[in-house]
């Protein structure tokens, strides 16, 4: 690897523009299925389906996978935590709408079923469901010879939550001058791993022996995604949370503006919260700018809440008291997008 060459997400084989183009092309197909119970289309952190008219219960659904983080799991034989990632990627989206996750289903596909590996994976899924307070009510395991390499599998999930219509958190009341509070991530979470693998390689024995970050680099890579559900719901019961953004693929740059009305942007102080060492290592190896890093990784913040400025200090204090690491990381402003 040329130490002077910038290594981007596109260099790792991921072109985010293709993803944006795909969403644009499929929106009309999805919209053709909507009925009066669908409250909004694609583009938020969950899909809404009203059960009881204007003031009743609303279901919020989300689906996602673990992505190429799975490579490190099956190369190392550590398959018992990626299920937590799978649950987290779904329920952290659902809770952004103020919804309590009710149930979860998983899907595991592989070329040849290894019962011990499947059991380890589902153990992780169950652990994640317990952290989120939802029930693992079913799933599917598919054996598809020749579709996957030896020892490889894919893992995805689907979750449904519920919220009263008048309690939905949707960002519509966010105005310039609100505070942004960040809740610390547990590390990489489960996005950007095509670039991570390009930068750090896939020699799991070498990564396990590397203690340059004070622990095994493989341990840091496989640390499961933090699940925020219970604490976010507790905070929502005490504070008026105006908007919530799950910081996954697209980092700060893509995800935070998703909760803002038109004409509202934000300023984020990247020095207002600690950046875990794993991101410093990736920054060094990739030579990416801050704007590029914060458009790919969570950089140490896994969830962002918009609250009124006069409530921010109390919100942070309470979040810290119940087990989160919370920081005031910025404010909303007139305009669009994210200013770092």
């Amino acid at each position: 690897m040329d130490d002077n060459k910038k290594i981007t997400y596109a260099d790792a084989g991921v072109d985010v523009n293709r993803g944006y183009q795909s969403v644009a092309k499929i929106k009309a197909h999805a919209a053709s299925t909507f009925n009066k119970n669908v409250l909004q289309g694609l583009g938020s952190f969950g899909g809404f389906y009203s059960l009881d008219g204007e003031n009743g219960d609303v279901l919020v659904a989300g689906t996602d996978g673990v992505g190429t983080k799975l490579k490190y799991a099956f190369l190392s034989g550590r398959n018992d935590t990626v299920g937590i990632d799978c649950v987290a990627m779904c329920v952290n989206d659902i809770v952004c709408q103020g919804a309590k996750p009710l149930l979860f289903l998983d899907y595991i596909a592989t070329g040849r079923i290894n019962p011990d590996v499947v059991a380890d994976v589902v153990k992780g899924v169950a652990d994640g469901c317990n952290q989120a307070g939802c029930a693992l009510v079913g799933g599917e395991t598919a054996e598809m010879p020749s579709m996957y390499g030896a020892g490889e599998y894919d893992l995805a999930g689907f979750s449904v939550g519920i919220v009263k219509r008048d309690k939905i958190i949707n960002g519509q009341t966010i105005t310039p001058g609100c505070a942004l509070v960040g809740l610390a991530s547990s590390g990489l979470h489960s996005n950007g791993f095509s670039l991570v693998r390009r930068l750090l390689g896939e020699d799991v024995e070498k990564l396990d022996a590397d203690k340059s970050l004070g622990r095994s680099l493989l341990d840091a890579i496989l640390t499961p995604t933090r699940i925020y559900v219970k604490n976010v719901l507790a905070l929502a019961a005490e504070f008026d949370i105006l908007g919530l953004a799950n910081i996954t693929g697209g980092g700060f740059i893509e995800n935070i503006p998703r909760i803002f009305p038109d004409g509202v942007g934000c300023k984020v102080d990247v020095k207002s919260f600690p950046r875990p060492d794993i991101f410093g290592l990736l920054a060094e190896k990739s030579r990416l700018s801050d704007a590029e890093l914060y458009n790919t990784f969570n950089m140490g913040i896994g969830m962002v809440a918009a609250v009124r400025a006069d409530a921010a200090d109390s919100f942070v204090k309470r979040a810290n008291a119940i087990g989160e690491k919370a920081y005031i990381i910025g404010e909303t402003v007139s305009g669009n997008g994210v200013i770092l």
Side-chain angles (χ1 to χ4, degrees):
M1 185 182 296
D2 182 352
D3 290 339
N4 295 315
K5 183 182 184 298
K6 180 188 294 186
I7 307 297
T8 68
Y9 212 2
D11 292 327
V14 179
D15 184 345
V16 295
N17 289 319
R18 288 197 298 262
Y20 301 149
Q21 291 168 14
S22 296
V23 171
K25 288 177 178 292
I26 67 178
K27 278 189 175 182
H29 297 303
S32 72
T33 71
F34 291 175
N35 58 34
K36 65 180 181 179
N37 299 97
V38 177
L39 298 188
Q40 71 178 54
L42 301 179
S44 186
F45 286 96
F48 295 80
Y49 194 89
S50 177
L51 293 178
D52 299 317
E54 292 187 1
N55 297 310
D57 292 325
V58 175
L59 297 180
V60 182
T63 186
D64 210 333
V66 180
T68 64
K69 185 175 185 176
L70 291 175
K71 278 273 191 177
Y72 288 114
F74 47 69
L75 286 172
S76 66
R78 301 186 187 183
N79 300 290
D80 60 344
T81 61
V82 289
I84 299 174
D85 290 292
C86 189
V87 174
M89 296 299 285
C90 297
V91 298
N92 284 345
D93 274 355
I94 286 174
V95 82
C96 284
Q97 323 304 323
K100 171 181 168 51
L102 299 175
L103 58 88
F104 191 86
L105 297 97
D106 60 24
Y107 174 78
I108 305 169
T110 186
R112 184 175 185 273
I113 290 176
N114 181 323
D116 291 333
V117 170
V118 170
D120 279 349
V121 171
V122 176
K123 175 188 178 300
V125 173
D127 289 344
C129 287
N130 284 324
Q131 290 180 33
C134 64
L136 176 59
V137 297
E140 177 71 14
T141 303
E143 189 171 54
M144 298 186 286
S146 79
M147 283 289 290
Y148 299 89
E152 295 184 351
Y153 58 88
D154 200 6
L155 173 63
F158 175 86
S159 188
V160 177
I162 194 166
V163 62
K164 290 292 184 183
R165 188 163 181 173
D166 61 354
K167 297 295 184 181
I168 291 173
I169 298 172
N170 57 23
Q172 292 179 1
T173 60
I174 296 174
T175 59
C178 294
L180 297 180
V181 176
L183 305 182
S185 68
S186 56
L188 291 169
H189 285 185
S190 191
N191 63 277
F193 268 84
S194 292
L195 180 54
V196 171
R197 291 186 299 109
R198 172 69 182 272
L199 297 172
L200 302 183
E202 296 178 0
D203 186 338
V204 294
E205 290 186 3
K206 181 179 179 180
L207 292 169
D208 198 26
D210 186 336
K211 302 298 196 296
S212 59
L213 300 184
R215 57 174 171 160
S216 162
L217 188 50
L218 183 61
D219 287 343
I221 289 169
L222 284 174
T223 297
T225 305
R226 182 167 181 79
I227 293 176
Y228 299 95
V229 170
K230 290 181 179 179
N231 283 343
V232 164
L233 291 176
L235 289 165
E238 296 183 41
F239 296 89
D240 184 13
I241 300 178
L242 307 178
L244 283 164
N246 185 18
I247 310 303
T248 56
F252 283 42
I253 306 301
E254 181 180 337
N255 288 294
I256 298 178
R258 290 169 66 180
I259 67 175
F260 295 155
D262 289 341
V264 177
C266 69
K267 291 181 179 180
V268 173
D269 179 1
V270 299
K271 296 181 179 180
S272 62
F273 55 92
R275 185 170 77 173
D277 288 345
I278 186 67
F279 297 109
L281 177 63
L282 295 173
E284 177 185 343
K285 288 184 173 293
S286 68
R287 303 180 68 86
L288 294 175
S289 66
D290 273 358
E292 292 167 312
L293 289 166
Y294 283 83
N295 199 23
T296 305
F297 302 112
N298 69 65
M299 302 305 290
I301 296 294
M303 184 75 68
V304 174
V307 298
R308 292 185 173 84
D310 59 3
D313 288 336
S314 296
F315 187 93
V316 167
K317 182 178 180 180
R318 182 58 180 153
N320 288 329
I322 62 175
E324 299 296 336
K325 295 178 181 177
Y327 312 90
I328 298 175
I329 65 169
E331 63 178 348
T332 55
V333 297
S334 297
N336 294 287
V338 178
I339 302 170
L340 299 175

